[in-house]
Amino acid sequence: EAPNNPYNVGIIVDNTGKEVLYYRKLHPWVPVEPWAPGDVGIPVIDGPNGCKLSLIVCHDGMFPEMARECAYKGAEIMIRTAGYTAPIREAWKVTNQANAFQNLMVTASVCMCGTDGSFDSMGEGMFCNFDGTVLVSGGNRPDEIITCEVRPDLVREARLGWGVENNIYQLGHRAYVAVKGGAQDCPYTYMHDLVAGKYKLPWEDGVAHKDGKSCGFDPPTRLYNGGR
């Protein structure tokens, strides 16, 4: 559907064989990946045993806004599929844990292992509890399978019962001890600029990679027309 460039799509299929979630990766791993930018948002679905599930893909998880959007829409478990290589190992661990803790949400992250001829993926699947604790972590062995029991009911309990570190609530209710209901404005310049189409970093003019030429892709000519 995207001229010349496919989407990187993630799906969830339930135990009856029905496709219950369809997602298009919002943040391709540029400049290496030429995929079109996702345009269907981040869906959240009813999962097994009454849990709420969301799915993101690989590089998506490096953006804290992705996990926050999943949780804001009700996700209790965020699945992250990836194909990262060893140089990303520490960032993989940190972001999986931070995405969990900052949103009081379980993260279930899986990374390919082995080589496709170009990249050597590192493996290291990981389950993180809503407090950021690593529950189970895999190694870098091909065909390794890890499993973990997670408790969405404890996610709900924390979201309702925590005071300090209930950060996803406090984001929209700053200083509620001093101000009734908390401050509910948006004090973040980058958010205002992003919405207004004016997002620009102070050092943006000096950024070296702004298209895919370094990875053999011709500079794009079409503009993004927005999401669905």
Side-chain angles (χ1 to χ4, degrees), residues 196-212:
K198 299 188 298 182
Y199 183 90
K200 185 175 182 180
L201 301 168
W203 59 89
E204 186 153 328
D205 291 342
V207 171
H209 298 281
K210 296 183 178 180
D211 56 37

Side-chain angles (χ1 to χ4, degrees), residues 27-65:
H27 294 278
W29 195 40
V30 293
V32 177
E33 294 179 347
W35 317 133
D39 59 356
V40 295
I42 307 174
V44 174
I45 63 168
D46 294 324
N49 299 320
C51 73
K52 297 289 186 180
L53 284 179
S54 61
L55 169 68
I56 65 173
V57 178
C58 202
H59 191 53
D60 284 333
M62 298 300 185
F63 298 84
E65 294 83 1

Side-chain angles (χ1 to χ4, degrees), residues 188-218:
Y188 304 105
T189 303
Y190 87 95
M191 290 185 179
H192 290 285
D193 288 353
L194 192 62
V195 169
K198 299 188 298 182
Y199 183 90
K200 185 175 182 180
L201 301 168
W203 59 89
E204 186 153 328
D205 291 342
V207 171
H209 298 281
K210 296 183 178 180
D211 56 37
K213 285 189 296 185
S214 64
C215 292
F217 302 109
D218 293 332

Side-chain angles (χ1 to χ4, degrees), residues 19 139 148 154 200:
E19 181 184 298
C148 181
L154 297 182
K200 185 175 182 180

Side-chain angles (χ1 to χ4, degrees), residues 144-227:
E144 180 183 28
I145 296 174
I146 62 172
T147 62
C148 181
E149 180 181 3
V150 297
R151 295 281 303 275
D153 58 315
L154 297 182
V155 170
R156 296 172 208 133
E157 182 178 297
R159 288 176 171 178
L160 294 176
W162 277 23
V164 294
E165 304 304 340
N166 193 343
N167 299 313
I168 187 169
Y169 174 79
Q170 293 176 22
L171 179 68
H173 303 84
R174 294 183 296 116
Y176 62 69
V177 174
V179 182
K180 183 177 181 179
Q184 299 181 31
D185 61 338
C186 180
Y188 304 105
T189 303
Y190 87 95
M191 290 185 179
H192 290 285
D193 288 353
L194 192 62
V195 169
K198 299 188 298 182
Y199 183 90
K200 185 175 182 180
L201 301 168
W203 59 89
E204 186 153 328
D205 291 342
V207 171
H209 298 281
K210 296 183 178 180
D211 56 37
K213 285 189 296 185
S214 64
C215 292
F217 302 109
D218 293 332
T221 57
R222 72 183 186 95
L223 298 176
Y224 181 62
N225 295 319

Side-chain angles (χ1 to χ4, degrees), residues 23-102:
Y23 166 69
R24 292 174 171 174
K25 186 177 184 181
L26 284 176
H27 294 278
W29 195 40
V30 293
V32 177
E33 294 179 347
W35 317 133
D39 59 356
V40 295
I42 307 174
V44 174
I45 63 168
D46 294 324
N49 299 320
C51 73
K52 297 289 186 180
L53 284 179
S54 61
L55 169 68
I56 65 173
V57 178
C58 202
H59 191 53
D60 284 333
M62 298 300 185
F63 298 84
E65 294 83 1
M66 292 291 299
R68 180 56 48 87
E69 176 74 358
C70 292
Y72 186 75
K73 294 176 72 172
E76 297 157 346
I77 302 170
M78 184 183 78
I79 299 170
R80 180 186 185 186
T81 61
Y84 272 130
T85 57
I88 310 294
R89 177 172 284 120
E90 291 306 314
W92 167 253
K93 296 175 182 177
V94 168
T95 52
N96 289 336
Q97 291 181 265
N99 286 336
F101 173 67
Q102 292 173 352

